[in-house]
Amino acid sequence: MERQYFNRSALVFFILFGLVYLLCIPFLAEKLFSDRVVKEMEEEQAQAQKAEDWLREDPADTASKPGVKKIVWKWQDFDGGLHKISFEVDQAKLVDVSRFREEIDFDGSNISGLYSNLNKKSKEIMKPMIEAMKEEIKKSGFPSDEAYMKSLEMVASAVQYIPYTLVLDNSGKCPCEMPFGSFSSECQVQEDGRGCCAGIIPFGVYAPAEFMDHRKGDCDTRSLFAYLLLKDMGFDVAVMISMQKGHSVLGVHLANKTYPDYGSSPGGKKYYLWELTAKDMPLGRGVDGSDWKSALN
Amino acid sequence: MLFLLGLQDTHFSRMLPEEARRQKQIYGILIAFEFLLALAAGLSVYTFTAVVFQSIAWAITAGIFFSLLTLNLLNLVFLATLNPSDDTLYKNWISKKYSLKDLNDEKIASLKTNAEIDAYLFDVKSKIRTKALSFQQKKASFVFTFLRNLFLVSILTLLAVVVANGLELFFFRHEINKTIHDLLLSNTLTDNWTKEHLLQQQGGKEFLLIESNSLLLNLNLLTRGLGNWKWILDFVVVILFLLPYVLMYRSPEFLKGHYMRELVLHQLEISGRHFILTRQKVMEIKVYFDSPEFEEQLFEKLYGFKKP
């Protein structure tokens, strides 16, 4: 009995060892190794190419009637799903919102007031986009238990998908070197995220309606835009700012989930932090700092 | 070959022939396990080094080095389980439960030479040997045992997974090469950097083993090509590495085996010899303390003049 324990174990060892080394026989190795790898990789590449083509600007998308601008947003969500929304906006209103922003009297202290004004002015103009976004979410048919988070992710991925553009006020100029990278002198959305717009007053922030139109924006422009969109859809969100980091992110209040990093509103409400300047960044990831406060909620 | 495990031939010579044969056989097989696993580890590291450094000399050197390292590591891990209990030593020797009860001062004094001490201890060992003692493994606390096993199993598993990947790369190198060729032919790899730096050797040289110097690309192709078979092969290699450890830990032929018995008796003999020699020294000193010379010397030291 004592001997059986060792003998059987040794037998198992040698059999398994022999089986592994049987793979030296080319015929067996060939049998185990699937030749589908190339086909799979070809399919993946074709799919990626298809997504890239689909997301590329199509002149037909921007064909507009006089006085009306047709805007198209295309993006890929966290799960790789492709989305497209298109809507029309009165061109005069877009010009008006830029003028309104430039004329705001901002002394540098009341950031909440500035955000609130830009928000109010943009809300009406952005109605068509909000409706189109709601429609897209509805079309996606998320299961009811995931709908809340998936809808949030849908909007966040739409904003994150747009390459970063640095926005500076009068005190800044392009090109420039920042602690987080170097930026060109072109005020354009660039694929490498190195676009830079200078002289955007006040405070180097675009109104949400402007971002909706030209999609140029850095942290606070994006947070403010996502805030307006989500707030109108009924989500409990906030624009969060950190003086320590000189950064802004979207804050999301969730009753049944917790994340390690969060900020708070003046009333003490917890808002989890969502980085909107980088693609595919999930909620609660990649945000440092300990002084996050809501500037608008 | 048994010396590789640190086993001493003298212990085998004190067993019955059948016992010695069986013990030599199981420890011999244990060494075979170690050699085979070390060989697998060497082959695995040879493959990794050949892919990364593209040098046959480095690959062979690293393979041999890692093979020897693995051999030592396995030796250490397996033999760490052969741990005779201190309690057993105490019960059987110091407490004089079995054969030292007659070891009084008179008997100790009668053992004049080393040969006599050896003969006496040989006799004691023979008596203890026939008692069929059980040499239990040292009973440690649950937390200690759990942490130690967790640590050793983790190390062995980590080693096994690394070795498994290397072996799989070696065994499936032809299939990976074929896949790389097919990818190049099908124009799926459009990235020029990959083609120039990972799939082309500098100076137009030939690749060693696998026609790519990127370990990550090779592992990616391997994982995709093998699918679930990769998990199964990894699992088998993990079992191969863990099996000897489990065997050492669970098999009665190791922990309660004849070699362990001889090892414990050897420990007892060493303690016994030192016990006898110490007692003899104590007795010697005692005799000296009781002698008139000592009294005279002490008197002189204390009062500065000789006892009248």
Side-chain angles (χ1 to χ4, degrees):
Chain A
M1 187 65 193
E2 266 187 11
R3 289 185 174 204
Q4 271 178 10
Y5 193 91
F6 181 87
N7 291 348
R8 282 178 188 170
S9 304
L11 191 68
V12 168
F13 181 93
F14 288 120
I15 288 174
L16 289 179
F17 200 86
L19 282 177
V20 170
Y21 275 78
L22 271 182
L23 294 171
C24 282
I25 303 170
F27 170 74
L28 279 175
E30 227 170 83
K31 282 276 165 209
L32 292 190
F33 201 90
S34 165
D35 54 0
R36 289 195 311 269
V37 183
V38 180
K39 218 172 276 173
E40 275 173 20
M41 286 177 88
E42 278 173 353
E43 275 168 21
E44 277 171 26
Q45 201 205 20
Q47 219 163 357
Q49 189 61 46
K50 202 173 136 194
E52 210 175 286
D53 292 344
W54 192 83
L55 290 162
R56 201 170 291 143
E57 291 277 343
D58 180 355
D61 285 342
T62 48
S64 310
K65 288 177 247 168
V68 176
K69 188 168 185 184
K70 187 177 179 190
I71 300 173
V72 178
W73 274 52
K74 289 175 175 180
W75 74 97
Q76 197 163 21
D77 65 23
F78 292 167
D79 304 319
L82 299 170
H83 301 279
K84 175 182 171 182
I85 55 170
S86 63
F87 46 91
E88 289 180 339
V89 185
D90 190 341
Q91 223 153 11
K93 284 182 182 171
L94 290 172
V95 176
D96 186 44
V97 78
S98 295
R99 197 177 303 131
F100 171 82
R101 170 180 53 76
E102 284 165 7
E103 287 170 1
I104 290 177
D105 186 18
F106 177 66
D107 62 359
S109 61
N110 187 8
I111 298 172
S112 300
L114 170 70
Y115 286 168
S116 181
N117 279 333
L118 293 174
N119 206 9
K120 271 181 207 156
K121 188 69 184 174
S122 299
K123 200 168 179 179
E124 194 53 41
I125 308 168
M126 283 180 60
K127 273 278 174 223
M129 181 178 190
I130 295 168
E131 288 310 315
M133 186 62 89
K134 280 182 185 170
E135 201 54 43
E136 186 65 16
I137 291 171
K138 210 180 286 177
K139 216 167 71 185
S140 297
F142 297 128
S144 57
D145 55 333
E146 292 178 11
Y148 195 86
M149 274 313 288
K150 286 284 179 194
S151 306
L152 278 167
E153 282 178 5
M154 173 84 94
V155 174
S157 62
V159 179
Q160 289 174 347
Y161 197 77
I162 298 163
Y164 185 83
T165 305
L166 182 65
V167 185
L168 301 170
D169 61 9
N170 270 345
S171 60
K173 57 178 181 180
C174 312
C176 62
E177 282 291 330
M178 290 284 178
F180 45 95
S182 55
F183 294 88
S184 74
S185 58
E186 280 179 74
C187 180
Q188 289 297 328
V189 181
Q190 291 169 30
E191 278 307 311
D192 61 2
R194 297 282 173 249
C196 180
C197 300
I200 308 304
I201 51 167
F203 202 53
V205 59
Y206 280 117
E210 290 177 286
F211 182 74
M212 170 188 78
D213 175 25
H214 53 53
R215 276 161 279 184
K216 295 168 197 164
D218 55 10
C219 58
D220 51 353
T221 301
R222 286 161 186 259
S223 308
L224 191 57
F225 172 83
Y227 166 81
L228 194 156
L229 216 66
L230 290 165
K231 197 76 178 174
D232 199 81
M233 290 178 184
F235 291 94
D236 192 352
V237 288
V239 177
M240 307 299 290
I241 53 171
S242 161
M243 290 301 171
Q244 230 177 48
K245 297 277 168 189
H247 193 31
S248 175
V249 297
L250 180 74
V252 181
H253 175 75
L254 294 170
N256 52 357
K257 280 194 175 182
T258 52
Y259 295 89
D261 297 316
Y262 58 86
S264 53
S265 68
K269 199 175 196 179
K270 260 188 197 176
Y271 284 96
Y272 299 113
L273 310 171
W274 207 332
E275 180 62 75
L276 296 179
T277 59
K279 228 171 165 182
D280 294 336
M281 191 64 88
L283 173 62
R285 190 92 54 86
V287 187
D288 303 327
S290 54
D291 68 330
W292 290 98
K293 298 273 176 244
S294 74
L296 195 63
N297 66 314
Chain B
M1 289 301 269
L2 293 172
F3 72 93
L4 281 170
L5 273 178
L7 304 180
Q8 290 172 16
D9 242 357
T10 46
H11 297 327
F12 288 105
S13 64
R14 289 176 189 136
M15 298 173 202
L16 294 173
E18 172 56 19
E19 288 172 359
R21 195 194 61 76
R22 177 64 182 169
Q23 286 287 292
K24 277 184 180 174
Q25 186 188 23
I26 64 164
Y27 280 102
I29 290 172
L30 188 71
I31 291 172
F33 289 170
E34 286 188 8
F35 264 98
L36 289 174
L37 294 176
L39 187 79
L43 186 60
S44 167
V45 171
Y46 166 80
T47 312
F48 284 134
T49 318
V51 169
V52 175
F53 294 104
Q54 291 297 322
S55 155
I56 192 95
W58 274 111
I60 291 173
T61 312
I64 292 172
F65 175 75
F66 201 77
S67 199
L68 294 174
L69 198 73
T70 308
L71 191 70
N72 276 300
L73 183 76
L74 293 175
N75 223 344
L76 194 72
V77 170
F78 297 158
L79 293 189
T81 54
L82 292 181
N83 188 9
S85 166
D86 293 337
D87 291 349
T88 316
L89 287 174
Y90 174 79
K91 274 179 205 155
N92 295 305
W93 189 250
I94 313 294
S95 70
K96 303 179 184 177
K97 188 177 172 186
Y98 289 106
S99 303
L100 286 184
K101 57 188 173 199
D102 58 334
L103 195 64
N104 48 31
D105 286 353
E106 206 178 312
K107 177 75 186 167
I108 289 171
S110 72
L111 301 169
K112 300 256 188 266
T113 62
N114 277 341
E116 282 174 341
I117 295 174
D118 284 348
Y120 173 74
L121 289 170
F122 182 81
D123 184 45
V124 170
K125 268 176 33 178
S126 305
K127 281 180 189 163
I128 296 177
R129 195 179 277 120
T130 56
K131 299 278 182 195
L133 304 174
S134 86
F135 300 104
Q136 294 293 335
Q137 200 191 15
K138 187 172 181 173
K139 288 269 187 294
S141 73
F142 172 76
V143 177
F144 177 80
T145 312
F146 177 77
L147 289 178
R148 191 189 68 166
N149 284 340
L150 186 73
F151 177 71
L152 292 176
V153 168
S154 305
I155 284 189
L156 286 174
T157 309
L158 186 73
L159 185 69
V161 171
V162 173
V163 170
N165 279 299
L167 285 180
E168 287 156 11
L169 279 178
F170 183 80
F171 292 142
F172 295 99
R173 62 191 185 283
H174 300 303
E175 282 67 32
I176 294 171
N177 285 338
K178 190 173 168 290
T179 308
I180 291 172
H181 283 161
D182 290 349
L183 283 174
L184 287 170
L185 285 175
S186 71
N187 283 327
T188 307
L189 289 172
T190 49
D191 180 24
N192 281 335
W193 191 91
T194 307
K195 282 183 191 170
E196 280 172 29
H197 293 90
L198 305 183
L199 303 176
Q200 216 169 291
Q201 265 281 58
Q202 302 295 319
K205 282 188 222 159
E206 294 255 311
F207 275 110
L208 273 177
L209 294 179
I210 301 173
E211 294 181 18
S212 149
N213 56 18
S214 165
L215 210 50
L216 289 178
L217 177 70
N218 294 338
L219 286 171
N220 185 275
L221 293 177
L222 179 78
T223 311
R224 280 165 169 261
L226 283 179
N228 288 334
W229 279 108
K230 170 128 185 39
W231 297 110
I232 295 170
L233 287 173
D234 285 354
F235 185 66
V236 168
V237 178
V238 170
I239 289 181
L240 284 175
F241 271 79
L242 289 181
L243 207 127
Y245 177 67
V246 175
L247 202 55
M248 291 293 290
Y249 204 71
R250 304 291 304 172
S251 168
E253 287 190 278
F254 284 109
L255 280 179
K256 295 174 188 172
H258 301 295
Y259 186 82
M260 272 297 278
R261 184 192 67 193
E262 288 307 321
L263 203 61
V264 171
L265 289 174
H266 178 65
Q267 299 291 329
L268 296 180
E269 186 183 351
I270 293 170
S271 329
R273 186 184 309 283
H274 286 102
F275 176 72
I276 292 169
L277 291 173
T278 312
R279 283 297 302 163
Q280 282 180 341
K281 199 74 191 163
V282 167
M283 283 155 65
E284 216 176 89
I285 293 169
K286 214 174 160 192
V287 169
Y288 171 65
F289 280 171
D290 293 340
S291 66
E293 298 104 70
F294 175 74
E295 204 180 330
E296 280 169 16
Q297 281 170 6
L298 187 67
F299 188 91
E300 196 178 338
K301 197 135 196 164
L302 284 173
Y303 301 106
F305 57 90
K306 280 192 176 177
K307 200 176 176 186

